[in-house]
Amino acid sequence: MNIEKNEYVAPAFIFCASFVFSCAWATVYAREWSLNLHFNTYWVVFGGVLEFTLVAYLTKLFLRKTNTRFRLSDYTVYKTVPIEINNFYSLMIIAIEVFTILFTLYEIRVATGISNIASALVYYNDITKFTEDSIVFHHAGLLYLFWDIVDAIGFWITYVLANTLIDKKFAKLPAAILVLSMLSSVFRGARTNALCKLICFFCAYIILLRRNAEIKRKAIKTRFIVMIVVAAVIFIIGFKQFGVLMGRTINQTGTDYVAMYCGSEIKNLDTFLQEDKKGIIDSFVDSQTFYVFLKWLKPKIGISGKTLAVLPQRYIKGITLGNVYTTFYQYIYDFGYAGLILLVALMAFLSQLSYEYAKSFREQWTVPISLVVYSYIFPSLVLSFFSNKFYERQFSTSFIKYCMIWYILNLLLVKIKIKFGFRGSAGGLNVKRL
């Protein structure tokens, strides 16, 4: 149904597709990983995807019956207006991003005490990702502020870039801003964050493309979807090289390395579900599902002790399978199978609600925050086969900060471009948004 209506970025479709993708990799490596899927694992994956799909569909029906805003005839009449950013402001943003990258490299070098930048990055990544220790930066508050600003700009600019492409133009400066924002993530060891920004762009573009297609009563061309798939394959092929650039020692072949990231989650989940570790937390403040939020909250309410992610590394025949278990792992670890049902339903409802607002936005003269918000949520659904990105990314103080920064960016930077056409001739007027 979603494919027939060109809803390639609908929550239910992409959530299901992410697990189909992961299960396909797991099937290919089933013999090598000794994967004999147990009955409870099958029902967790199949049942979780089915529940998400049903809740998303029911949410869609409910919203369209109770609010005319979400009906097809309403949201297709608002044509997308070309948006630009003044070149001076764009160059200022680029300067901020370059400064942030250099500032990050300097702080990592000083904090680790290693003069060689490449070695410092390797040490920083190992400490932060594979140990319970942490790196203390000399100017942590200022550095984290710049990280938030550059990340927020990166997610926000994806709409601007997608908007210009809908107008059949390629905006070089917004593209440079997006690439630098992604590099800022990569240089601090956050490859997934960089990937999320790229996924955000595709989400915004497809929504705008579909909206434009609905107005003109055209279907989205299949070749564009093929282009997206090709881009994803290229990124996957280069994923190992990104890891090497970040100083990781990788002894696996490129295919095996990608398989570990894309399919071993199913094997790891199967292993976990056969262990007696389901629903074991004593209180909410020990939750793994809301680990990121609680890491910020606990010191604020006077609860001492480190907030640790319980993600043990898994191995099979001496081969590492990583330490990720799909999005279902944390739900079951915290609250058992009942928690799985509740948290999947909540995720489906919030995702579909955001999607309906995103594709029915009314704003024509500015960057629609509703679309940026869903574009930000969308990578969490794409990576659901990987880990608990939805509750980690949306239930966090970073998301709140991003929303505030997006609003400020709209006030300060957006310029609209209104086109007037008379019998084949066209004029242009640029108006600054005050």
Side-chain angles (χ1 to χ4, degrees), residues 90-352:
S90 295
L91 292 173
M92 284 184 60
I93 292 174
I94 289 174
I96 291 172
E97 291 179 319
V98 171
F99 170 78
T100 301
I101 292 173
L102 296 176
F103 188 27
T104 299
L105 296 177
Y106 169 79
E107 282 289 309
I108 291 176
R109 180 179 175 182
V110 172
T112 60
I114 302 174
S115 58
N116 182 276
I117 289 295
S119 299
L121 288 173
V122 173
Y123 180 77
Y124 170 72
N125 286 323
D126 288 343
I127 289 294
T128 55
K129 292 186 177 181
F130 303 115
T131 74
E132 297 179 3
D133 298 326
S134 59
I135 296 292
V136 179
F137 294 113
H138 285 58
H139 304 90
L142 184 61
L143 181 62
Y144 296 154
L145 174 62
F146 274 102
W147 284 358
D148 285 336
I149 292 173
V150 170
D151 280 342
I153 289 173
F155 291 116
W156 181 83
I157 204 69
T158 57
Y159 174 85
V160 177
L161 184 58
N163 177 279
T164 60
L165 288 176
I166 289 296
D167 200 33
K168 301 187 184 303
K169 295 180 180 179
F170 178 74
K172 296 179 181 178
L173 289 179
I177 290 171
L178 176 58
V179 170
L180 286 172
S181 180
M182 293 172 64
L183 286 176
S184 174
S185 298
V186 169
F187 281 122
R188 63 179 190 261
R191 287 183 299 172
T192 302
N193 189 280
L195 175 61
C196 286
K197 292 169 186 174
L198 186 61
I199 296 173
C200 282
F201 161 72
F202 283 123
C203 177
Y205 184 70
I206 292 174
I207 288 178
L208 291 178
L209 191 65
R210 178 178 182 268
R211 190 176 173 114
N212 193 58
E214 288 289 353
I215 294 172
K216 296 180 179 180
R217 293 292 183 265
K218 294 181 179 180
I220 296 177
K221 294 182 179 180
T222 305
R223 66 180 181 181
F224 172 70
I225 304 303
V226 173
M227 287 172 59
I228 293 179
V229 173
V230 170
V233 170
I234 292 173
F235 187 92
I236 289 172
I237 292 173
F239 201 67
K240 178 181 177 180
Q241 280 62 46
F242 277 116
V244 173
L245 287 175
M246 291 310 303
R248 296 191 179 186
T249 301
I250 301 172
N251 299 318
Q252 299 160 285
T253 65
T255 304
D256 291 345
Y257 186 68
V258 172
M260 181 190 70
Y261 272 93
C262 298
S264 65
E265 298 82 4
I266 304 298
K267 170 63 178 178
N268 291 345
L269 178 67
D270 185 67
T271 302
F272 161 73
L273 290 178
Q274 312 321 312
E275 300 171 346
D276 189 22
K277 294 183 179 179
K278 296 175 279 295
I280 63 173
I281 62 169
D282 296 324
S283 64
F284 176 75
V285 294
D286 297 318
S287 169
Q288 290 292 298
T289 304
F290 302 98
Y291 156 76
V292 174
F293 174 71
L294 292 171
K295 191 174 182 179
W296 169 86
L297 178 65
K298 287 169 70 173
K300 302 294 186 296
I301 59 177
I303 298 178
S304 59
K306 290 185 177 181
T307 302
L308 303 176
V310 182
L311 295 167
Q313 289 278 346
R314 299 287 180 175
Y315 299 87
I316 184 74
K317 301 176 184 177
I319 302 172
T320 179
L321 296 181
N323 63 341
V324 282
Y325 302 75
T326 79
T327 192
F328 302 130
Y329 164 76
Q330 280 89 347
Y331 313 160
I332 298 172
Y333 183 94
D334 286 349
F335 311 110
Y337 293 115
L340 170 71
I341 296 172
L342 177 61
L343 290 167
V344 167
L346 179 61
M347 175 170 53
F349 170 75
L350 293 177
S351 299
Q352 188 66 37

Side-chain angles (χ1 to χ4, degrees), residues 25-85:
W25 277 100
T27 301
V28 171
Y29 277 76
R31 178 176 297 180
E32 186 171 347
W33 294 340
S34 300
L35 176 59
N36 297 303
L37 209 63
H38 291 80
F39 187 74
N40 58 341
T41 307
Y42 171 81
W43 278 108
V44 164
V45 176
F46 176 76
V49 172
L50 179 62
E51 180 194 1
F52 187 99
T53 303
L54 290 175
V55 172
Y57 180 69
L58 292 175
T59 301
K60 175 181 177 179
L61 291 181
F62 174 77
L63 290 174
R64 294 193 176 184
K65 286 185 177 295
T66 58
N67 193 328
T68 57
R69 173 193 176 103
F70 305 114
R71 293 175 187 166
L72 187 66
S73 59
D74 289 328
Y75 68 74
T76 54
V77 298
Y78 289 84
K79 185 172 176 58
T80 302
V81 174
I83 292 177
E84 294 180 355
I85 301 176

